[in-house]
């Protein structure tokens, strides 16, 4: 992570928390040393970012920093918050953190009279199904889709038999209880869907030649029923 990105991320973490956040907690989330974290905090304060606190006591971002009022209706806000809560509960660690950051941004960006719609929202996603745990970081799939890179998967079928698959991922579908990777499979020379909870190991390989949009169009065409 570049320093400019890290400075911005510090602001997002502080925005997400109402209580003071210690340097140790910040350093662990950003995966940097305390020394680096303290230098970053000094730089933000020097840039007149309204952060209160100091090393050893915790840091707080003062209200009203940098984001103008966002003109959304109460219905639009509830839709955004409900969607972000759903993602926070079902996404991988990085995506869940992004969802929580989004809610924190919305809280400070909307006019004060609409803030209770977020803070005191009575809407929440509920699931009574137990979601199976993944044995790899699913963020790797999202990164591969963005970077158009192949993935090598050690994949177990319903009987537990594991095969090595090299795939070209173009879609990550979220059901209520499972996540599916939509991809072109080099082994089968066809489109296949892979449950993330059955992936035993994943690693990134080189780029694949097809454009993501082209793969999706071919996949959608294959799924359409034939014309009569």
């Amino acid at each position: 992570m570049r320093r400019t990105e890290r400075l911005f991320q510090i602001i997002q973490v502080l925005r997400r928390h109402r209580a003071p956040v210690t340097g140790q907690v910040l350093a662990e989330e950003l995966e940097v040393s305390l020394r680096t974290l303290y230098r970053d905090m000094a730089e933000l304060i020097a840039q007149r970012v309204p952060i209160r606190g100091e090393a050893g006591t915790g840091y707080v971002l003062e209200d009203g920093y940098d984001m103008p009022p966002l003109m959304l209706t109460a219905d639009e806000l509830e839709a955004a918050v409900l969607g972000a809560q759903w993602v926070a509960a079902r996404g991988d660690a990085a995506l869940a953190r992004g969802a929580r950051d989004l809610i924190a941004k919305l809280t400070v960006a909307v006019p004060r009279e609409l803030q209770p719609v977020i803070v005191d929202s009575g809407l929440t996603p509920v699931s009574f199904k137990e979601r199976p745990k993944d044995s790899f970081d699913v963020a790797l799939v999202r990164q591969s889709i963005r970077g158009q890179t192949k993935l090598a998967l050690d994949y177990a079928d319903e009987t537990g038999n594991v095969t090595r698959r090299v795939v070209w991922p173009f879609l990550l579908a979220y059901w209520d209880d499972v996540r599916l990777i939509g991809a072109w499979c080099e082994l089968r020379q066809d489109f296949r869907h892979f449950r993330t909870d059955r992936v035993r190991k994943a690693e990134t390989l080189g780029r694949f030649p097809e454009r993501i949009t082209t793969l999706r169009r071919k996949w959608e065409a294959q799924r359409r029923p034939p014309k009569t």
Side-chain angles (χ1 to χ4, degrees):
M1 185 185 297
R2 293 175 297 181
R3 193 184 191 201
T4 52
E5 295 173 340
R6 196 169 64 241
L7 294 178
F8 181 76
Q9 187 62 26
I10 289 172
I11 294 173
Q12 303 318 308
V13 174
L14 293 177
R15 189 177 272 139
R16 198 166 70 229
H17 293 269
R18 297 182 183 180
V21 186
T22 65
Q24 185 64 46
V25 171
L26 286 166
E28 289 177 359
E29 178 155 345
L30 297 170
E31 299 181 346
V32 298
S33 67
L34 269 175
R35 183 178 179 182
T36 298
L37 187 278
Y38 291 150
R39 285 202 301 264
D40 289 345
M41 298 304 297
E43 175 64 23
L44 286 171
I45 293 171
Q47 293 180 14
R48 299 184 182 276
V49 177
I51 295 174
R52 291 186 289 106
E54 57 186 23
T57 62
Y59 299 94
V60 175
L61 182 67
E62 294 182 355
D63 292 338
Y65 172 67
D66 92 1
M67 295 188 73
L70 195 61
M71 302 312 295
L72 295 174
T73 67
D75 287 340
E76 290 168 340
L77 275 177
E78 287 187 332
V81 171
L82 182 60
Q85 289 175 340
W86 192 95
V87 172
R90 292 163 178 81
D92 56 73
L95 196 61
R97 184 164 57 247
R100 291 191 295 270
D101 284 343
L102 173 60
I103 294 174
K105 284 182 181 180
L106 286 173
T107 303
V108 299
V110 300
R112 187 172 297 275
E113 62 270 19
L114 285 177
Q115 289 179 357
V117 174
I118 301 174
V119 177
D120 302 323
S121 175
L123 306 181
T124 187
V126 174
S127 175
F128 297 102
K129 294 182 179 179
E130 183 177 355
R131 291 186 293 276
K133 293 183 178 180
D134 297 308
S135 57
F136 79 110
D137 187 359
V138 180
L140 189 65
V141 180
R142 297 190 292 108
Q143 293 165 8
S144 292
I145 293 173
R146 289 199 299 263
Q148 198 174 308
T149 56
K150 299 180 183 181
L151 278 178
L153 307 178
D154 289 349
Y155 188 74
D157 62 19
E158 62 274 10
T159 65
N161 183 47
V162 177
T163 57
R164 182 78 163 178
R165 305 291 188 96
V166 176
V167 302
W168 306 359
F170 59 87
L171 181 73
L172 183 57
Y174 288 78
W175 291 10
D176 191 44
D177 54 342
V178 297
R179 291 174 284 207
L180 290 180
I181 304 168
W184 173 264
C185 178
E186 291 187 355
L187 177 65
R188 302 303 184 194
Q189 286 296 294
D190 201 355
F191 292 108
R192 289 291 187 270
H193 305 108
F194 303 91
R195 286 177 51 151
T196 59
D197 60 295
R198 291 183 181 170
V199 175
R200 299 294 179 257
K201 182 181 177 183
E203 59 180 316
T204 305
L205 303 177
R207 288 174 61 86
F208 54 80
E210 286 273 23
R211 291 170 59 89
I212 294 291
T213 52
T214 302
L215 285 173
R216 287 176 183 159
R217 280 200 302 269
K218 291 180 178 179
W219 171 73
E220 289 169 354
Q222 191 179 92
R223 294 171 64 241
R224 281 197 293 266
K227 295 181 179 180
T228 57

